[in-house]
Short mmCIF file of all heavy atoms in Angstrom, two decimals:
data_model
loop_
_atom_site.label_atom_id
_atom_site.label_comp_id
_atom_site.label_asym_id
_atom_site.label_seq_id
_atom_site.Cartn_x
_atom_site.Cartn_y
_atom_site.Cartn_z
N MET Y 1 13.19 3.57 12.98
CA MET Y 1 14.28 3.12 12.04
C MET Y 1 14.21 4.03 10.80
O MET Y 1 13.15 4.25 10.24
CB MET Y 1 13.93 1.62 11.63
CG MET Y 1 15.00 1.23 10.56
SD MET Y 1 14.27 -0.33 9.77
CE MET Y 1 15.16 -0.26 8.30
N MET Y 2 15.41 4.64 10.35
CA MET Y 2 15.39 5.49 9.35
C MET Y 2 16.10 4.77 8.05
O MET Y 2 17.11 4.15 8.26
CB MET Y 2 16.16 6.86 9.59
CG MET Y 2 15.64 7.65 10.73
SD MET Y 2 14.20 8.58 10.11
CE MET Y 2 15.00 9.90 9.46
N LEU Y 3 15.49 5.03 6.84
CA LEU Y 3 16.18 4.60 5.75
C LEU Y 3 17.09 5.56 5.11
O LEU Y 3 16.85 6.71 5.33
CB LEU Y 3 15.12 4.23 4.58
CG LEU Y 3 14.18 3.08 4.86
CD1 LEU Y 3 13.21 3.00 3.64
CD2 LEU Y 3 14.92 1.81 5.02
N ASN Y 4 18.20 5.16 4.54
CA ASN Y 4 19.00 6.18 3.73
C ASN Y 4 18.50 5.99 2.25
O ASN Y 4 17.72 5.10 2.02
CB ASN Y 4 20.46 5.93 3.90
CG ASN Y 4 20.85 4.55 3.38
OD1 ASN Y 4 20.37 3.94 2.46
ND2 ASN Y 4 21.89 4.02 4.03
N CYS Y 5 19.00 6.83 1.34
CA CYS Y 5 18.51 6.83 0.06
C CYS Y 5 18.69 5.52 -0.64
O CYS Y 5 17.88 5.11 -1.48
CB CYS Y 5 19.02 8.07 -0.79
SG CYS Y 5 18.34 9.55 -0.18
N PHE Y 6 19.79 4.92 -0.45
CA PHE Y 6 20.15 3.62 -0.99
C PHE Y 6 19.23 2.58 -0.69
O PHE Y 6 18.63 1.92 -1.63
CB PHE Y 6 21.66 3.21 -0.57
CG PHE Y 6 22.00 1.92 -1.09
CD1 PHE Y 6 22.35 1.73 -2.47
CD2 PHE Y 6 21.93 0.72 -0.38
CE1 PHE Y 6 22.71 0.53 -2.97
CE2 PHE Y 6 22.32 -0.50 -0.89
CZ PHE Y 6 22.71 -0.62 -2.09
N GLU Y 7 18.89 2.55 0.59
CA GLU Y 7 17.91 1.46 0.94
C GLU Y 7 16.43 1.79 0.54
O GLU Y 7 15.78 1.01 0.05
CB GLU Y 7 17.83 1.47 2.60
CG GLU Y 7 19.09 0.82 3.10
CD GLU Y 7 19.32 1.15 4.66
OE1 GLU Y 7 18.77 2.12 5.14
OE2 GLU Y 7 19.85 0.25 5.21
N ALA Y 8 16.12 3.11 0.47
CA ALA Y 8 14.89 3.46 -0.03
C ALA Y 8 14.71 3.12 -1.55
O ALA Y 8 13.67 2.46 -1.94
CB ALA Y 8 14.63 4.98 0.18
N SER Y 9 15.78 3.41 -2.37
CA SER Y 9 15.54 3.11 -3.72
C SER Y 9 15.58 1.56 -3.98
O SER Y 9 14.95 1.09 -4.89
CB SER Y 9 16.78 3.78 -4.49
OG SER Y 9 18.04 3.37 -4.07
N ARG Y 10 16.26 0.87 -3.19
CA ARG Y 10 16.26 -0.53 -3.26
C ARG Y 10 14.96 -1.14 -2.90
O ARG Y 10 14.42 -2.00 -3.65
CB ARG Y 10 17.24 -1.30 -2.33
CG ARG Y 10 17.67 -2.59 -2.73
CD ARG Y 10 18.38 -3.39 -1.53
NE ARG Y 10 17.60 -3.35 -0.37
CZ ARG Y 10 17.98 -3.56 0.89
NH1 ARG Y 10 19.33 -3.81 1.11
NH2 ARG Y 10 17.19 -3.50 1.92
N LEU Y 11 14.26 -0.60 -1.97
CA LEU Y 11 12.84 -0.97 -1.62
C LEU Y 11 11.93 -0.69 -2.64
O LEU Y 11 10.99 -1.45 -3.13
CB LEU Y 11 12.36 -0.35 -0.29
CG LEU Y 11 12.84 -1.01 0.98
CD1 LEU Y 11 12.26 -0.21 2.18
CD2 LEU Y 11 12.50 -2.48 0.98
N LEU Y 12 12.15 0.54 -3.35
CA LEU Y 12 11.22 0.93 -4.37
C LEU Y 12 11.44 -0.13 -5.57
O LEU Y 12 10.45 -0.39 -6.25
CB LEU Y 12 11.54 2.31 -4.83
CG LEU Y 12 11.15 3.46 -3.93
CD1 LEU Y 12 11.79 4.80 -4.39
CD2 LEU Y 12 9.68 3.54 -3.99
N SER Y 13 12.66 -0.55 -5.80
CA SER Y 13 12.84 -1.54 -6.95
C SER Y 13 12.20 -2.79 -6.56
O SER Y 13 11.51 -3.52 -7.36
CB SER Y 13 14.31 -1.76 -7.11
OG SER Y 13 14.97 -0.52 -7.43
N GLU Y 14 12.34 -3.33 -5.36
CA GLU Y 14 11.83 -4.56 -4.90
C GLU Y 14 10.27 -4.59 -4.87
O GLU Y 14 9.66 -5.59 -5.08
CB GLU Y 14 12.40 -4.89 -3.51
CG GLU Y 14 13.78 -5.36 -3.51
CD GLU Y 14 14.35 -5.79 -2.26
OE1 GLU Y 14 13.58 -5.97 -1.30
OE2 GLU Y 14 15.58 -5.98 -2.12
N ALA Y 15 9.82 -3.33 -4.61
CA ALA Y 15 8.31 -3.32 -4.64
C ALA Y 15 7.69 -3.59 -6.05
O ALA Y 15 6.45 -3.92 -6.03
CB ALA Y 15 7.87 -1.88 -4.28
N GLN Y 16 8.50 -3.47 -7.02
CA GLN Y 16 8.04 -3.98 -8.42
C GLN Y 16 7.98 -5.46 -8.53
O GLN Y 16 7.18 -5.97 -9.29
CB GLN Y 16 8.95 -3.47 -9.45
CG GLN Y 16 9.37 -2.00 -9.35
CD GLN Y 16 8.32 -1.07 -9.87
OE1 GLN Y 16 7.71 -1.25 -10.85
NE2 GLN Y 16 8.16 0.11 -9.23
N GLU Y 17 8.77 -6.17 -7.72
CA GLU Y 17 8.85 -7.51 -7.80
C GLU Y 17 8.00 -8.29 -6.82
O GLU Y 17 7.55 -9.41 -7.02
CB GLU Y 17 10.34 -8.05 -7.69
CG GLU Y 17 11.23 -7.13 -8.30
CD GLU Y 17 11.19 -7.36 -9.85
OE1 GLU Y 17 10.84 -8.39 -10.38
OE2 GLU Y 17 11.50 -6.36 -10.51
N ARG Y 18 7.82 -7.77 -5.66
CA ARG Y 18 7.17 -8.43 -4.52
C ARG Y 18 6.41 -7.42 -3.69
O ARG Y 18 6.79 -6.27 -3.67
CB ARG Y 18 8.19 -9.18 -3.66
CG ARG Y 18 9.16 -8.13 -3.00
CD ARG Y 18 10.08 -9.10 -1.94
NE ARG Y 18 11.09 -8.12 -1.44
CZ ARG Y 18 10.90 -7.39 -0.24
NH1 ARG Y 18 9.70 -7.54 0.33
NH2 ARG Y 18 11.82 -6.63 0.22
N PRO Y 19 5.41 -7.87 -2.94
CA PRO Y 19 4.74 -6.89 -1.96
C PRO Y 19 5.58 -6.64 -0.73
O PRO Y 19 6.27 -7.52 -0.28
CB PRO Y 19 3.50 -7.70 -1.54
CG PRO Y 19 3.63 -9.11 -2.07
CD PRO Y 19 4.66 -9.15 -2.93
N LEU Y 20 5.72 -5.43 -0.48
CA LEU Y 20 6.48 -5.06 0.73
C LEU Y 20 5.81 -5.40 2.03
O LEU Y 20 4.60 -5.38 2.05
CB LEU Y 20 6.85 -3.50 0.64
CG LEU Y 20 7.63 -3.00 -0.49
CD1 LEU Y 20 7.93 -1.55 -0.36
CD2 LEU Y 20 8.94 -3.67 -0.56
N ILE Y 21 6.59 -5.66 2.96
CA ILE Y 21 5.95 -5.96 4.41
C ILE Y 21 5.54 -4.64 4.93
O ILE Y 21 6.12 -3.61 4.55
CB ILE Y 21 6.79 -6.79 5.21
CG1 ILE Y 21 8.04 -6.10 5.52
CG2 ILE Y 21 7.05 -8.18 4.54
CD1 ILE Y 21 8.96 -6.81 6.65
N LEU Y 22 4.78 -4.66 5.96
CA LEU Y 22 4.21 -3.48 6.64
C LEU Y 22 5.34 -2.52 7.09
O LEU Y 22 5.34 -1.35 6.73
CB LEU Y 22 3.33 -3.76 7.76
CG LEU Y 22 2.77 -2.57 8.47
CD1 LEU Y 22 1.79 -1.87 7.54
CD2 LEU Y 22 1.89 -3.06 9.71
N ARG Y 23 6.35 -3.12 7.74
CA ARG Y 23 7.43 -2.31 8.27
C ARG Y 23 8.27 -1.53 7.08
O ARG Y 23 8.58 -0.42 7.30
CB ARG Y 23 8.35 -3.18 9.00
CG ARG Y 23 9.62 -2.44 9.69
CD ARG Y 23 10.26 -3.25 10.65
NE ARG Y 23 10.87 -4.47 10.02
CZ ARG Y 23 11.95 -4.49 9.40
NH1 ARG Y 23 12.80 -3.42 9.38
NH2 ARG Y 23 12.40 -5.49 8.81
N GLU Y 24 8.33 -2.32 6.02
CA GLU Y 24 9.03 -1.67 4.79
C GLU Y 24 8.20 -0.65 4.26
O GLU Y 24 8.70 0.49 3.91
CB GLU Y 24 9.32 -2.78 3.79
CG GLU Y 24 10.38 -3.80 4.16
CD GLU Y 24 10.39 -4.95 3.20
OE1 GLU Y 24 9.48 -5.35 2.55
OE2 GLU Y 24 11.63 -5.49 3.07
N ARG Y 25 6.96 -0.77 4.11
CA ARG Y 25 6.07 0.25 3.61
C ARG Y 25 6.05 1.47 4.44
O ARG Y 25 6.05 2.66 3.92
CB ARG Y 25 4.65 -0.28 3.41
CG ARG Y 25 4.44 -1.16 2.18
CD ARG Y 25 3.07 -1.18 1.77
NE ARG Y 25 2.01 -1.52 2.82
CZ ARG Y 25 1.64 -2.69 3.03
NH1 ARG Y 25 2.03 -3.72 2.46
NH2 ARG Y 25 0.77 -2.89 4.15
N VAL Y 26 6.02 1.25 5.74
CA VAL Y 26 6.02 2.36 6.69
C VAL Y 26 7.25 3.25 6.66
O VAL Y 26 7.26 4.43 6.53
CB VAL Y 26 5.69 1.93 8.14
CG1 VAL Y 26 5.95 3.07 9.09
CG2 VAL Y 26 4.32 1.37 8.26
N THR Y 27 8.43 2.55 6.76
CA THR Y 27 9.71 3.20 6.69
C THR Y 27 10.01 3.87 5.37
O THR Y 27 10.48 5.03 5.27
CB THR Y 27 10.89 2.21 7.08
OG1 THR Y 27 10.84 1.16 6.23
CG2 THR Y 27 10.82 1.78 8.44
N LEU Y 28 9.48 3.29 4.30
CA LEU Y 28 9.63 3.85 2.98
C LEU Y 28 8.76 5.11 2.83
O LEU Y 28 9.22 6.19 2.37
CB LEU Y 28 9.33 2.80 1.78
CG LEU Y 28 9.40 3.24 0.46
CD1 LEU Y 28 10.88 3.58 0.17
CD2 LEU Y 28 9.06 2.08 -0.45
N GLY Y 29 7.69 5.02 3.40
CA GLY Y 29 6.65 6.10 3.26
C GLY Y 29 7.20 7.28 4.17
O GLY Y 29 7.14 8.49 3.63
N ILE Y 30 7.88 7.07 5.25
CA ILE Y 30 8.48 8.06 5.97
C ILE Y 30 9.59 8.77 5.30
O ILE Y 30 9.65 9.92 5.22
CB ILE Y 30 8.95 7.63 7.40
CG1 ILE Y 30 7.68 7.15 8.29
CG2 ILE Y 30 9.76 8.65 8.05
CD1 ILE Y 30 8.09 6.34 9.44
N HIS Y 31 10.36 7.95 4.65
CA HIS Y 31 11.55 8.47 3.93
C HIS Y 31 11.00 9.36 2.67
O HIS Y 31 11.46 10.46 2.52
CB HIS Y 31 12.40 7.26 3.31
CG HIS Y 31 13.56 7.78 2.59
ND1 HIS Y 31 14.80 8.03 3.23
CD2 HIS Y 31 13.71 8.13 1.26
CE1 HIS Y 31 15.68 8.43 2.38
NE2 HIS Y 31 15.09 8.54 1.11
N LEU Y 32 10.02 8.88 2.07
CA LEU Y 32 9.50 9.53 0.80
C LEU Y 32 8.82 10.86 1.20
O LEU Y 32 8.74 11.82 0.52
CB LEU Y 32 8.47 8.78 0.05
CG LEU Y 32 9.08 7.43 -0.68
CD1 LEU Y 32 8.00 6.57 -1.21
CD2 LEU Y 32 10.09 7.86 -1.80
N SER Y 33 8.35 11.04 2.43
CA SER Y 33 7.68 12.16 2.96
C SER Y 33 8.61 13.28 3.15
O SER Y 33 8.20 14.52 2.95
CB SER Y 33 6.89 11.84 4.27
OG SER Y 33 7.81 11.83 5.28
N TRP Y 34 9.95 13.10 3.31
CA TRP Y 34 10.85 14.14 3.43
C TRP Y 34 11.90 14.10 2.19
O TRP Y 34 12.70 15.13 2.14
CB TRP Y 34 11.45 14.26 4.79
CG TRP Y 34 12.23 13.01 5.16
CD1 TRP Y 34 11.80 12.00 5.94
CD2 TRP Y 34 13.53 12.69 4.84
NE1 TRP Y 34 12.77 11.05 6.11
CE2 TRP Y 34 13.86 11.53 5.55
CE3 TRP Y 34 14.60 13.29 4.00
CZ2 TRP Y 34 15.07 10.76 5.33
CZ3 TRP Y 34 15.80 12.58 3.90
CH2 TRP Y 34 16.07 11.45 4.56
N CYS Y 35 11.98 13.09 1.43
CA CYS Y 35 13.04 12.99 0.56
C CYS Y 35 12.53 13.16 -0.90
O CYS Y 35 12.00 12.18 -1.54
CB CYS Y 35 13.84 11.71 0.65
SG CYS Y 35 15.19 11.53 -0.51
N SER Y 36 12.65 14.39 -1.53
CA SER Y 36 12.10 14.58 -2.86
C SER Y 36 12.92 13.77 -3.87
O SER Y 36 12.48 13.45 -4.88
CB SER Y 36 12.11 16.08 -3.23
OG SER Y 36 13.50 16.53 -3.15
N GLY Y 37 14.16 13.44 -3.62
CA GLY Y 37 14.98 12.75 -4.65
C GLY Y 37 14.40 11.41 -4.80
O GLY Y 37 14.29 10.83 -5.92
N CYS Y 38 13.99 10.69 -3.67
CA CYS Y 38 13.54 9.38 -3.89
C CYS Y 38 12.02 9.40 -4.32
O CYS Y 38 11.58 8.44 -5.01
CB CYS Y 38 13.58 8.65 -2.51
SG CYS Y 38 15.25 8.22 -2.07
N ARG Y 39 11.32 10.48 -4.12
CA ARG Y 39 10.02 10.70 -4.74
C ARG Y 39 10.19 10.75 -6.19
O ARG Y 39 9.37 10.17 -7.01
CB ARG Y 39 9.32 11.91 -4.19
CG ARG Y 39 8.61 11.63 -2.80
CD ARG Y 39 7.50 12.57 -2.58
NE ARG Y 39 7.87 14.00 -2.66
CZ ARG Y 39 8.37 14.65 -1.65
NH1 ARG Y 39 8.52 14.08 -0.43
NH2 ARG Y 39 8.78 15.93 -1.80
N ASN Y 40 11.10 11.51 -6.76
CA ASN Y 40 11.42 11.54 -8.26
C ASN Y 40 11.83 10.22 -8.63
O ASN Y 40 11.40 9.81 -9.77
CB ASN Y 40 12.50 12.59 -8.38
CG ASN Y 40 12.05 14.00 -8.31
OD1 ASN Y 40 10.87 14.27 -8.58
ND2 ASN Y 40 12.97 14.92 -8.10
N PHE Y 41 12.61 9.52 -7.93
CA PHE Y 41 12.97 8.19 -8.44
C PHE Y 41 11.83 7.25 -8.59
O PHE Y 41 11.71 6.58 -9.58
CB PHE Y 41 14.03 7.60 -7.42
CG PHE Y 41 14.51 6.17 -7.68
CD1 PHE Y 41 15.26 6.02 -8.76
CD2 PHE Y 41 13.94 5.05 -7.02
CE1 PHE Y 41 15.79 4.63 -9.02
CE2 PHE Y 41 14.44 3.84 -7.36
CZ PHE Y 41 15.30 3.64 -8.38
N ARG Y 42 10.97 7.30 -7.59
CA ARG Y 42 9.79 6.41 -7.65
C ARG Y 42 8.85 6.85 -8.90
O ARG Y 42 8.33 5.94 -9.64
CB ARG Y 42 8.93 6.62 -6.46
CG ARG Y 42 7.68 5.74 -6.36
CD ARG Y 42 6.89 5.89 -5.10
NE ARG Y 42 6.30 7.34 -4.97
CZ ARG Y 42 5.53 7.71 -4.05
NH1 ARG Y 42 5.16 6.82 -3.15
NH2 ARG Y 42 5.23 8.88 -3.94
N ARG Y 43 8.68 8.20 -9.13
CA ARG Y 43 7.93 8.62 -10.30
C ARG Y 43 8.42 8.12 -11.56
O ARG Y 43 7.81 7.60 -12.50
CB ARG Y 43 7.81 10.18 -10.28
CG ARG Y 43 6.54 10.55 -11.00
CD ARG Y 43 6.30 12.11 -10.67
NE ARG Y 43 7.61 12.83 -11.01
CZ ARG Y 43 7.92 13.90 -10.27
NH1 ARG Y 43 7.19 14.27 -9.20
NH2 ARG Y 43 8.96 14.61 -10.54
N HIS Y 44 9.85 8.25 -11.70
CA HIS Y 44 10.52 7.80 -13.00
C HIS Y 44 10.38 6.30 -13.12
O HIS Y 44 10.05 5.86 -14.28
CB HIS Y 44 12.01 8.06 -12.86
CG HIS Y 44 12.33 9.48 -13.12
ND1 HIS Y 44 13.01 9.84 -14.31
CD2 HIS Y 44 12.17 10.54 -12.41
CE1 HIS Y 44 13.15 11.20 -14.36
NE2 HIS Y 44 12.67 11.66 -13.18
N MET Y 45 10.44 5.50 -12.13
CA MET Y 45 10.26 4.11 -12.22
C MET Y 45 8.87 3.74 -12.63
O MET Y 45 8.80 2.82 -13.51
CB MET Y 45 10.55 3.40 -10.84
CG MET Y 45 11.02 2.02 -11.01
SD MET Y 45 12.09 1.51 -9.74
CE MET Y 45 11.17 1.88 -8.32
N HIS Y 46 7.87 4.36 -12.14
CA HIS Y 46 6.55 4.18 -12.49
C HIS Y 46 6.36 4.54 -13.97
O HIS Y 46 5.72 3.79 -14.80
CB HIS Y 46 5.48 4.95 -11.71
CG HIS Y 46 5.25 4.37 -10.42
ND1 HIS Y 46 4.07 3.83 -10.09
CD2 HIS Y 46 6.05 4.18 -9.35
CE1 HIS Y 46 4.10 3.34 -8.83
NE2 HIS Y 46 5.25 3.52 -8.32
N ALA Y 47 6.98 5.57 -14.42
CA ALA Y 47 6.88 6.02 -15.84
C ALA Y 47 7.50 4.98 -16.76
O ALA Y 47 7.01 4.69 -17.71
CB ALA Y 47 7.56 7.39 -15.95
N LEU Y 48 8.82 4.54 -16.34
CA LEU Y 48 9.58 3.61 -17.16
C LEU Y 48 8.66 2.29 -17.34
O LEU Y 48 8.59 1.77 -18.37
CB LEU Y 48 10.86 3.27 -16.45
CG LEU Y 48 11.93 4.26 -16.73
CD1 LEU Y 48 13.13 3.79 -15.87
CD2 LEU Y 48 12.37 4.31 -18.17
N ARG Y 49 8.06 1.88 -16.23
CA ARG Y 49 7.24 0.71 -16.26
C ARG Y 49 6.06 0.86 -17.26
O ARG Y 49 5.83 0.00 -18.05
CB ARG Y 49 6.75 0.51 -14.86
CG ARG Y 49 6.59 -1.01 -14.57
CD ARG Y 49 6.01 -1.17 -13.17
NE ARG Y 49 5.76 -2.55 -12.91
CZ ARG Y 49 4.85 -2.89 -11.92
NH1 ARG Y 49 4.33 -2.10 -11.17
NH2 ARG Y 49 4.68 -4.24 -11.76
N THR Y 50 5.39 1.98 -17.17
CA THR Y 50 4.24 2.22 -18.02
C THR Y 50 4.69 2.27 -19.49
O THR Y 50 4.08 1.75 -20.40
CB THR Y 50 3.67 3.60 -17.73
OG1 THR Y 50 3.36 3.60 -16.32
CG2 THR Y 50 2.30 3.78 -18.46
N ILE Y 51 5.81 2.98 -19.75
CA ILE Y 51 6.34 3.09 -21.10
C ILE Y 51 6.72 1.62 -21.68
O ILE Y 51 6.32 1.27 -22.81
CB ILE Y 51 7.61 4.01 -21.18
CG1 ILE Y 51 7.24 5.43 -20.94
CG2 ILE Y 51 8.42 3.85 -22.51
CD1 ILE Y 51 8.36 6.26 -20.55
N SER Y 52 7.45 0.84 -20.87
CA SER Y 52 7.76 -0.46 -21.43
C SER Y 52 6.58 -1.40 -21.66
O SER Y 52 6.52 -2.16 -22.56
CB SER Y 52 8.88 -1.16 -20.56
OG SER Y 52 8.26 -1.31 -19.28
N ARG Y 53 5.58 -1.18 -20.79
CA ARG Y 53 4.40 -2.08 -21.04
C ARG Y 53 3.61 -1.50 -22.28
O ARG Y 53 3.02 -2.42 -22.85
CB ARG Y 53 3.54 -1.93 -19.66
CG ARG Y 53 2.50 -2.97 -19.52
CD ARG Y 53 1.64 -2.65 -18.46
NE ARG Y 53 2.14 -3.06 -17.11
CZ ARG Y 53 1.79 -2.47 -15.96
NH1 ARG Y 53 0.86 -1.43 -16.03
NH2 ARG Y 53 2.26 -2.84 -14.83
N GLY Y 54 3.56 -0.16 -22.48
CA GLY Y 54 2.86 0.29 -23.43
C GLY Y 54 3.29 0.23 -24.93
O GLY Y 54 2.68 0.02 -25.95
N TYR Y 55 4.62 0.29 -25.04
CA TYR Y 55 5.26 0.42 -26.36
C TYR Y 55 5.93 -0.91 -26.85
O TYR Y 55 6.13 -1.09 -28.05
CB TYR Y 55 6.42 1.48 -26.28
CG TYR Y 55 5.75 2.86 -26.23
CD1 TYR Y 55 5.38 3.39 -25.02
CD2 TYR Y 55 5.63 3.68 -27.40
CE1 TYR Y 55 4.81 4.69 -24.89
CE2 TYR Y 55 5.14 4.84 -27.37
CZ TYR Y 55 4.65 5.46 -26.10
OH TYR Y 55 4.22 6.69 -26.10
N GLY Y 56 6.33 -1.74 -25.91
CA GLY Y 56 6.90 -3.00 -26.41
C GLY Y 56 8.40 -2.85 -26.85
O GLY Y 56 8.92 -1.78 -26.76
N GLN Y 57 8.94 -4.01 -27.21
CA GLN Y 57 10.41 -4.07 -27.56
C GLN Y 57 10.73 -3.34 -28.80
O GLN Y 57 11.85 -2.84 -28.95
CB GLN Y 57 10.88 -5.48 -27.54
CG GLN Y 57 10.77 -6.11 -26.21
CD GLN Y 57 11.14 -7.56 -26.13
OE1 GLN Y 57 10.95 -8.25 -27.20
NE2 GLN Y 57 11.45 -8.11 -25.04
N ARG Y 58 10.01 -3.36 -29.83
CA ARG Y 58 10.29 -2.93 -31.09
C ARG Y 58 10.58 -1.37 -31.05
O ARG Y 58 11.61 -0.92 -31.48
CB ARG Y 58 9.15 -3.16 -32.11
CG ARG Y 58 9.55 -2.83 -33.45
CD ARG Y 58 8.52 -3.43 -34.56
NE ARG Y 58 7.18 -2.86 -34.17
CZ ARG Y 58 6.80 -1.73 -34.60
NH1 ARG Y 58 7.49 -0.99 -35.33
NH2 ARG Y 58 5.56 -1.34 -34.19
N ARG Y 59 9.73 -0.80 -30.28
CA ARG Y 59 9.75 0.75 -30.09
C ARG Y 59 11.06 1.03 -29.37
O ARG Y 59 11.80 2.12 -29.56
CB ARG Y 59 8.55 1.29 -29.41
CG ARG Y 59 8.67 2.78 -29.07
CD ARG Y 59 8.75 3.60 -30.41
NE ARG Y 59 7.36 3.58 -31.21
CZ ARG Y 59 6.47 4.56 -30.93
NH1 ARG Y 59 6.68 5.46 -30.14
NH2 ARG Y 59 5.44 4.49 -31.60
N ASP Y 60 11.39 0.27 -28.22
CA ASP Y 60 12.78 0.43 -27.56
C ASP Y 60 13.97 0.49 -28.43
O ASP Y 60 14.85 1.37 -28.36
CB ASP Y 60 12.96 -0.68 -26.58
CG ASP Y 60 11.89 -0.47 -25.40
OD1 ASP Y 60 11.36 0.65 -25.15
OD2 ASP Y 60 11.76 -1.38 -24.59
N THR Y 61 13.94 -0.44 -29.40
CA THR Y 61 15.11 -0.49 -30.30
C THR Y 61 15.15 0.76 -31.19
O THR Y 61 16.17 1.42 -31.28
CB THR Y 61 14.91 -1.70 -31.23
OG1 THR Y 61 14.69 -2.82 -30.42
CG2 THR Y 61 16.19 -1.97 -32.07
N ASP Y 62 14.01 1.28 -31.63
CA ASP Y 62 13.94 2.42 -32.48
C ASP Y 62 14.46 3.65 -31.68
O ASP Y 62 15.22 4.41 -32.14
CB ASP Y 62 12.47 2.75 -32.92
CG ASP Y 62 12.10 1.70 -33.93
OD1 ASP Y 62 12.90 1.02 -34.55
OD2 ASP Y 62 10.90 1.49 -34.21
N ASP Y 63 13.95 3.72 -30.41
CA ASP Y 63 14.40 4.92 -29.56
C ASP Y 63 15.90 4.91 -29.37
O ASP Y 63 16.48 5.87 -29.42
CB ASP Y 63 13.58 4.82 -28.20
CG ASP Y 63 12.14 5.15 -28.33
OD1 ASP Y 63 11.78 5.81 -29.33
OD2 ASP Y 63 11.45 4.97 -27.30
N GLU Y 64 16.36 3.70 -29.18
CA GLU Y 64 17.93 3.58 -29.04
C GLU Y 64 18.70 4.22 -30.24
O GLU Y 64 19.61 4.81 -30.08
CB GLU Y 64 18.22 2.20 -28.60
CG GLU Y 64 19.51 2.01 -27.81
CD GLU Y 64 19.87 0.56 -27.57
OE1 GLU Y 64 19.01 -0.28 -27.73
OE2 GLU Y 64 21.06 0.34 -27.20
N ARG Y 65 18.13 3.70 -31.37
CA ARG Y 65 18.73 4.16 -32.64
C ARG Y 65 18.73 5.59 -32.71
O ARG Y 65 19.73 6.32 -33.03
CB ARG Y 65 18.20 3.47 -33.78
CG ARG Y 65 19.15 3.11 -34.88
CD ARG Y 65 18.29 2.28 -35.92
NE ARG Y 65 18.05 0.83 -35.57
CZ ARG Y 65 17.02 0.12 -36.04
NH1 ARG Y 65 15.97 0.60 -36.72
NH2 ARG Y 65 16.93 -1.12 -35.67
N VAL Y 66 17.56 6.25 -32.46
CA VAL Y 66 17.45 7.65 -32.59
C VAL Y 66 18.37 8.36 -31.67
O VAL Y 66 18.99 9.34 -31.96
CB VAL Y 66 15.97 8.07 -32.30
CG1 VAL Y 66 15.82 9.54 -32.17
CG2 VAL Y 66 15.07 7.47 -33.39
N GLY Y 67 18.45 7.83 -30.43
CA GLY Y 67 19.23 8.50 -29.36
C GLY Y 67 20.79 8.50 -29.74
O GLY Y 67 21.54 9.45 -29.37
N LYS Y 68 21.34 7.54 -30.52
CA LYS Y 68 22.67 7.52 -30.95
C LYS Y 68 23.08 8.58 -31.99
O LYS Y 68 24.16 8.88 -32.15
CB LYS Y 68 23.10 6.16 -31.33
CG LYS Y 68 23.32 5.26 -30.09
CD LYS Y 68 23.57 3.70 -30.53
CE LYS Y 68 23.62 2.77 -29.44
NZ LYS Y 68 23.38 1.43 -29.75
N ARG Y 69 22.13 9.01 -32.78
CA ARG Y 69 22.26 9.89 -33.89
C ARG Y 69 22.35 11.33 -33.51
O ARG Y 69 21.69 11.74 -32.46
CB ARG Y 69 21.33 9.62 -35.01
CG ARG Y 69 21.79 8.34 -35.77
CD ARG Y 69 21.02 8.07 -36.94
NE ARG Y 69 21.44 6.77 -37.52
CZ ARG Y 69 20.82 6.15 -38.44
NH1 ARG Y 69 19.72 6.57 -38.95
NH2 ARG Y 69 21.29 5.00 -38.90
ZN1 ZN T 1 15.99 9.42 -0.37
#
């Protein structure tokens, strides 16, 4: 069974909320082994998660304000 990028990115998102079952982890792993786009997506998602955990909401508001100017 092959995943397309849409399914792979959906699984990557769901993996933040729940443990993936074995079949999902295997098919996702196969997809990531040849798809650099989804590997990048996964890296960005991990980075976003780390940032939001580390900086909190006040910093998010500040960043948004800076981005608009
Ligand atoms: Zn992909």
Side-chain angles (χ1 to χ4, degrees):
M1 179 197 157
M2 296 282 279
L3 292 180
N4 61 34
C5 289
F6 176 78
E7 291 166 328
S9 58
R10 198 194 57 198
L11 278 182
L12 284 168
S13 305
E14 287 186 10
Q16 313 279 322
E17 317 290 333
R18 63 171 175 90
L20 298 181
I21 63 172
L22 181 63
R23 186 170 55 86
E24 291 171 330
R25 285 206 305 268
V26 170
T27 53
L28 184 59
I30 292 167
H31 183 91
L32 291 173
S33 72
W34 59 262
C35 182
S36 60
C38 287
R39 280 203 302 275
N40 281 335
F41 178 72
R42 182 180 59 174
R43 204 169 51 218
H44 279 254
M45 200 149 59
H46 280 248
L48 279 176
R49 214 184 171 196
T50 309
I51 289 166
S52 60
R53 199 187 276 156
Y55 288 81
Q57 291 175 339
R58 193 167 54 84
R59 179 62 74 91
D60 285 345
T61 310
D62 290 343
D63 286 347
E64 202 179 347
R65 214 175 282 149
V66 170
K68 279 172 186 167
R69 282 182 183 170

